[in-house]
Amino acid sequence: MSLDENAEPGALRYGLLKAYRPFPDVSDELLFPDGRVRPVWRPFLEHLSALTPEEITERFARGNQYLNDAGVYFRQYGQDGANEREWPLSHIPVIISQDDWQVIADGLTQRAELLEQVVADLYGDNRLVSNGYLPASLIAQSPEWQRPLVGIKPKSGHFLHFLSFEIGRGPDGTWWVLSDRAQAPSGAGFALENRVATGRVFNEFFARANVHRLAGFFRRFRDHLVELRGESESRVSILTPGPLNDTYFEHAYIARYLGFMLLEGEDLTVENGKLMVRTVAGLRPVSVLWRRLDAAWADPVELNETSHIGTPGLVQAVRSGAVTMINALGTGILETRALLAFLPRISEHLLGEPLKLPNVATWWCGEEGTKAYVKENAEGMMFSPALSTALPFTSSHTDFIGKDFDKFHKGILETWIDSKSDKLVGQEAVTLSTTPAYDNGLLVPRPMSLRVFLARTTNGWEVMSGGFARIGQTEDASAIAMQAGGSAADVWIVGGQKPHKETLLHQTESPFFKSQTGSLPSRAADNLFWLGRYVERAEGAVRLLRAYHARLMETADPEAPLVALTGEYLDKIGMAPVEPVPDGLCDMLQSAVASAAKVRDRFSVDGWLALNDLAQAANGAKRTMRDNADVTRAMGLLLRKITGFSGLVHENMYRFIGWRFLSIGRALERAHRMADLLSVFTDEDAPEGSLELLLEVGDSAMSMSRRYAVSLSHATVLDLLAMDTKNPRAVLYQLTDMKDHIGVLPNATENGHLSELARSVLQVHTLLAIATPETLTPASLADLRDQISYLSVELTDAYIR
């Protein structure tokens, strides 16, 4: 029904609604069935209608820019593999009244309690199966059923701590549960980012609207996880499959937001039954692990032996009570599609009451009676594998609706159902409610589902006051998944008193004290170290490429002695001079991006964006180079971007241990490269102009003119670029920097004596410090280069392996 003059006085003043046509026999979040605007939407419509189309476009762009600046993306899978895509925000929020939300919250809280009891029974007494409430085959055949976990009681006393539910509203206005997510629920971090972006789009309205806040939900969940540690020395960590996972951005975002370590399976080890994280300070205990990977991949010893992303012995650590898993291993069984068919009866049995929030009607075809019913009503049902755990309306959801398969004669369809039997479920065909989306200057109805999150806190289950909405791009409800072109929207719960502004910070009258700094996992240290090396290596290559092309532009002769020597050196370091922008440079910058991607939880958003911009600029420059002048200018631009990135990171990064590893990598690479350059270009057979090139590449020409009254010579160049303790381009300056950083790393001294690494860097530093320009021959400089290079091996042995 569309709005008309008799629907509601003044309704047509909402010009954005003039083409709003709700779908027949479908519930709509904006309008009542009689066409009146729901009261909870009216203030927002008043605000939106007061904006011009140009203002709306500008505000939407503001939200998109925030998401882009924050590095929010989703990974889309297609024929060409996985690609990162901009986050598809639907800027119009889904608005729900507090009263309606309370109904949802009550229903989902009851459901969370039910699921806790179900999974506790499945891995405990198993009475639901023995008493006939669940078929044994359904549990035994499920790939999510983890037999090694049978009989293990969680250390915390609970199997479930964080859940999400996919829900939709039916035609009669009733909310249905479409899917239970207990394995490793995702989306909470994206809900936070949607909130920030949408809040910026409608900043004036949001500030005065009674929209319930999200931060308190995360703070209370975080505090509960910290309480579960039991001992103050242990840590709470988040376990991720790694950067290739499609929700890795969220893992890093949540870890940074809550202040927890983000770990991969290789970061962990089990020692004497205890779960430990490998850090640069040695093994440290982890007693609470919020896992974001499927249980089967968590332990290659007792679960999936092909897993390369798990931790051997993790199940044993759980069995010994050394770690609390969030959620417990094996809880993915609760996501089994066919389980929905049995939960209504199980609720009556375990809770003594019906489900407050029903799930979509589901029939398992493994029983003759229900199979007969399914065959009789097949045309109005959706069919999918009984053991499927895929979200509804996603690319991995293999449903089809009986009426859509015209090729199936009724008898053929019945035969097909018989052949599938216990491997099949039929479900009532879902008709999702609609919500407004903005399209070409007007609001239009689009199908939607909501993802709602629950966390166990000290006071029991708490429902996030909001969530994550999936919005269809068209009227087709099967296309609400982002992989199918759908979008994501914020969910506003509105009503009651003006919400208290909550943050993750505690307001307390207790005496102030500084918290201890966190430990740095060895893998993170390795990636930060190599990030520093890759970026510095790229800067050195860019400086040398610029010098090469500038001289080639002057001589127009690639065989000129200095040009030829420089070209040979560039070839040696993988920077083919025949390529205006060498592939080696682009690969090096991509290696830097890859290293940074593995420490997203420890890397600033600005730093991440600047690094990606640098890599994209290098790739873009490859397509626009026409001559040496173009290359010289392009190298100058890249140089400014590199130094801008380095300055941004080193000025803004907190001086934790991670910053020291980044700085060590940068210093080692600069010292190594300069020693190598000096060994080649200060040779007595080096062509004329070699010393000037060294000063240019070392960015020290001005220092030379101010520092020395005598003319340019080998001695002055070696003094300035090798031995000067005040020149940041000098080898000795960087060795001093390395020595200082290594001196404060964990275990830098052992029983009052320097560690092997600290002794080695001191030895290299001393050898150069007592040298003179006259003793620095090409051979001694090459030896110095090799000693500096070996420091990388010693650092790896000491802190990373």
Side-chain angles (χ1 to χ4, degrees):
M1 179 181 296
S2 62
L3 291 171
D4 58 46
E5 294 288 357
N6 298 319
E8 177 189 3
L12 289 178
R13 71 174 179 270
Y14 303 131
L16 292 167
L17 295 179
K18 63 184 180 182
Y20 201 86
R21 301 288 188 273
F23 305 162
D25 302 320
V26 173
S27 179
D28 186 76
E29 297 303 312
L30 175 66
L31 303 179
F32 285 118
D34 61 5
R36 291 178 298 118
V37 175
R38 296 181 189 271
V40 72
W41 278 90
R42 290 177 188 166
F44 178 77
L45 287 180
E46 294 281 358
H47 173 74
L48 190 62
S49 297
L51 302 175
T52 66
E54 293 75 20
E55 288 175 320
I56 292 175
T57 299
E58 187 277 329
R59 287 167 178 268
F60 286 4
R62 183 194 305 168
N64 294 339
Q65 187 62 52
Y66 165 76
L67 293 170
N68 183 64
D69 290 346
V72 185
Y73 68 90
F74 82 100
R75 188 168 281 121
Q76 187 175 45
Y77 297 91
Q79 294 181 347
D80 298 329
N83 295 292
E84 292 182 2
R85 293 287 184 262
E86 292 183 358
W87 186 248
L89 179 67
S90 180
H91 303 86
I92 305 299
V94 176
I95 304 178
I96 301 175
S97 71
Q98 182 178 350
D99 291 341
D100 279 353
W101 190 255
Q102 191 60 52
V103 172
I104 294 172
D106 290 345
L108 294 182
T109 299
Q110 179 210 44
R111 195 175 186 88
E113 289 291 348
L114 175 62
L115 293 180
E116 173 69 36
Q117 292 191 37
V118 169
V119 73
D121 176 80
L122 291 177
Y123 287 99
D125 297 336
N126 212 7
R127 292 178 180 175
L128 290 175
V129 171
S130 61
N131 293 336
Y133 288 94
L134 279 172
S137 62
L138 192 65
I139 305 303
Q141 294 178 27
S142 172
E144 300 301 335
W145 172 245
Q146 307 299 339
R147 285 181 176 82
L149 279 302
V150 173
I152 299 178
K153 295 183 178 180
K155 177 184 177 183
S156 67
H158 297 104
F159 286 81
L160 302 174
H161 296 266
F162 195 85
L163 295 169
S164 73
F165 298 93
E166 202 79 14
I167 67 173
R169 196 197 289 264
D172 64 352
T174 301
W175 288 98
W176 297 332
V177 174
L178 307 175
S179 179
D180 302 306
R181 313 309 295 173
Q183 174 77 270
S186 63
F190 291 122
L192 278 169
E193 289 287 38
N194 288 340
R195 171 59 55 88
V196 177
T198 307
R200 293 195 178 192
V201 172
F202 304 107
N203 57 314
E204 304 99 329
F205 178 81
F206 186 85
R208 64 175 184 269
N210 292 343
V211 180
H212 293 205
R213 304 300 197 250
L214 305 181
F217 170 85
F218 287 97
R219 176 170 59 80
R220 287 181 283 277
F221 179 53
R222 179 200 63 187
D223 292 349
H224 182 59
L225 295 187
V226 172
E227 290 174 1
L228 290 175
R229 292 181 307 167
E231 50 181 287
S232 59
E233 291 185 359
S234 64
R235 285 155 177 77
V236 180
S237 301
I238 297 176
L239 180 62
T240 174
L244 296 181
N245 185 265
D246 57 351
T247 57
Y248 177 75
F249 166 83
E250 185 196 22
H251 304 168
Y253 177 81
I254 288 290
R256 188 166 56 238
Y257 184 71
L258 298 181
F260 295 151
M261 279 198 297
L262 184 65
L263 305 176
E264 296 182 30
E266 64 182 280
D267 295 326
L268 295 164
T269 186
V270 177
E271 293 279 340
N272 299 320
K274 291 187 176 181
L275 187 64
M276 313 292 282
V277 57
R278 297 182 177 94
T279 77
V280 296
L283 297 179
R284 295 292 183 268
V286 173
S287 58
V288 180
L289 193 63
W290 184 4
R291 66 177 179 89
R292 303 301 301 271
L293 81 167
D294 291 352
W297 304 100
D299 185 347
V301 174
E302 297 199 52
L303 301 176
N304 189 332
E305 64 182 13
T306 66
S307 174
H308 295 288
I309 58 175
T311 303
L314 184 58
V315 170
Q316 181 56 38
V318 172
R319 187 179 289 117
S320 66
V323 61
T324 294
M325 297 293 293
I326 312 295
N327 290 324
L329 296 170
T331 52
I333 188 70
L334 296 173
E335 298 183 358
T336 305
R337 186 74 46 79
L339 195 61
L340 296 174
F342 303 93
L343 285 180
R345 184 174 173 226
I346 291 174
S347 177
E348 296 275 8
H349 170 63
L350 293 180
L351 303 181
E353 59 185 5
L355 291 172
K356 295 180 181 179
L357 208 64
N359 50 244
V360 59
T362 305
W363 296 268
W364 178 56
C365 297
E367 298 172 332
E368 289 301 320
T370 54
K371 183 167 67 174
Y373 178 85
V374 168
K375 288 193 289 186
E376 184 67 26
N377 297 276
E379 291 187 359
M381 289 190 182
M382 296 188 300
F383 293 93
S384 60
L387 300 180
S388 173
T389 60
L391 272 171
F393 313 112
T394 63
S395 57
S396 56
H397 192 69
T398 54
D399 294 351
F400 72 86
I401 301 178
K403 67 178 182 180
D404 292 338
F405 272 59
D406 295 335
K407 66 180 181 180
F408 281 165
H409 182 272
K410 183 173 177 62
I412 298 175
L413 182 57
E414 289 180 355
T415 300
W416 178 82
I417 293 172
D418 282 331
S419 69
K420 296 293 182 181
S421 194
D422 63 342
K423 296 181 176 59
L424 190 69
V425 294
Q427 292 181 295
E428 182 180 353
V430 174
T431 301
L432 295 175
S433 66
T434 55
T435 192
Y438 191 81
D439 184 26
N440 293 321
L442 297 173
L443 293 180
V444 294
R446 290 290 180 259
M448 69 130 195
S449 69
L450 296 184
R451 190 172 304 178
V452 186
F453 302 91
L454 277 74
R456 190 183 295 279
T457 70
T458 304
N459 298 320
W461 287 107
E462 180 171 341
V463 182
M464 181 194 290
S465 294
F468 178 101
R470 294 193 292 159
I471 311 294
Q473 188 180 37
T474 66
E475 298 180 7
D476 181 9
S478 65
I480 66 173
M482 287 184 288
Q483 298 288 343
S487 55
D490 190 17
V491 178
W492 289 4
I493 311 306
V494 178
Q497 297 180 345
K498 188 173 181 63
H500 174 66
K501 187 175 181 179
E502 294 188 274
T503 70
L504 284 184
L505 301 177
H506 287 287
Q507 300 297 324
T508 177
E509 299 300 324
S510 302
F512 168 79
F513 66 93
K514 290 185 178 180
S515 61
Q516 295 180 341
T517 58
S519 296
L520 180 69
S522 298
R523 178 186 53 83
D526 188 32
N527 282 291
L528 288 167
F529 171 70
W530 277 100
L531 173 61
R533 292 202 67 175
Y534 285 134
V535 172
E536 184 59 37
R537 190 176 294 179
E539 180 181 337
V542 166
R543 289 182 180 277
L544 195 59
L545 283 163
R546 184 174 67 169
Y548 171 82
H549 284 283
R551 281 155 181 76
L552 185 57
M553 183 171 57
E554 293 173 359
T555 64
D557 180 11
E559 300 302 322
L562 182 58
V563 175
L565 178 62
T566 309
E568 291 172 7
Y569 187 89
L570 285 166
D571 260 329
K572 185 184 75 170
I573 64 173
M575 300 291 145
V578 294
E579 302 173 14
V581 180
D583 288 340
L585 177 62
C586 296
D587 292 344
M588 191 178 298
L589 290 171
Q590 281 305 127
S591 295
V593 171
S595 292
K598 294 176 182 177
V599 287
R600 284 292 301 272
D601 58 315
R602 297 174 181 273
F603 209 62
S604 74
V605 171
D606 288 335
W608 172 254
L609 292 173
L611 185 58
N612 273 279
D613 179 58
L614 173 59
Q616 292 168 9
N619 281 300
K622 292 176 67 71
R623 300 187 293 270
T624 60
M625 297 298 100
R626 296 186 302 272
D627 52 36
N628 291 313
D630 284 343
V631 178
T632 304
R633 284 193 294 271
M635 292 301 120
L637 174 63
L638 290 178
L639 182 60
R640 290 190 290 275
K641 286 182 176 289
I642 291 174
T643 54
F645 164 78
S646 297
L648 176 70
V649 171
H650 286 276
E651 286 300 316
N652 295 344
M653 195 170 180
Y654 194 87
R655 272 38 177 172
F656 281 135
I657 295 296
W659 171 78
R660 296 194 181 278
F661 276 90
L662 181 69
S663 300
I664 290 169
R666 181 189 187 196
L668 188 147
E669 187 63 39
R670 183 173 291 186
H672 176 272
R673 178 64 61 224
M674 183 54 69
D676 193 39
L677 282 167
L678 289 171
S679 72
V680 173
F681 288 91
T682 61
D683 190 279
E684 60 181 19
D685 294 329
E688 183 180 353
S690 294
L691 298 182
E692 288 85 349
L693 182 139
L694 283 170
L695 291 177
E696 180 181 335
V697 173
D699 197 19
S700 297
M702 185 179 297
S703 299
M704 172 63 71
S705 62
R706 292 186 176 184
R707 180 84 166 78
Y708 302 94
V710 297
S711 61
L712 185 66
S713 67
H714 282 75
T716 56
V717 170
L718 287 168
D719 186 58
L720 181 62
L721 294 180
M723 306 179 62
D724 197 317
T725 57
K726 296 181 181 179
N727 182 9
R729 296 286 163 182
V731 179
L732 187 58
Y733 181 98
Q734 297 302 329
L735 288 174
T736 302
D737 200 35
M738 286 181 61
K739 180 171 65 71
D740 292 343
H741 286 305
I742 289 173
V744 295
L745 292 183
N747 306 318
T749 58
E750 300 167 358
N751 298 321
H753 299 285
L754 292 178
S755 67
E756 184 175 344
L757 174 62
R759 288 198 304 272
S760 293
V761 73
L762 178 60
Q763 184 178 24
V764 177
H765 179 276
T766 303
L767 287 174
L768 182 56
I770 64 175
T772 65
E774 291 72 24
T775 62
L776 289 179
T777 64
S780 67
L781 286 164
D783 183 58
L784 175 66
R785 173 203 62 203
D786 293 342
Q787 291 184 62
I788 293 171
S789 181
Y790 190 69
L791 291 175
S792 178
V793 176
E794 293 191 276
L795 181 124
T796 299
D797 288 341
Y799 292 104
I800 294 169
R801 285 180 183 168

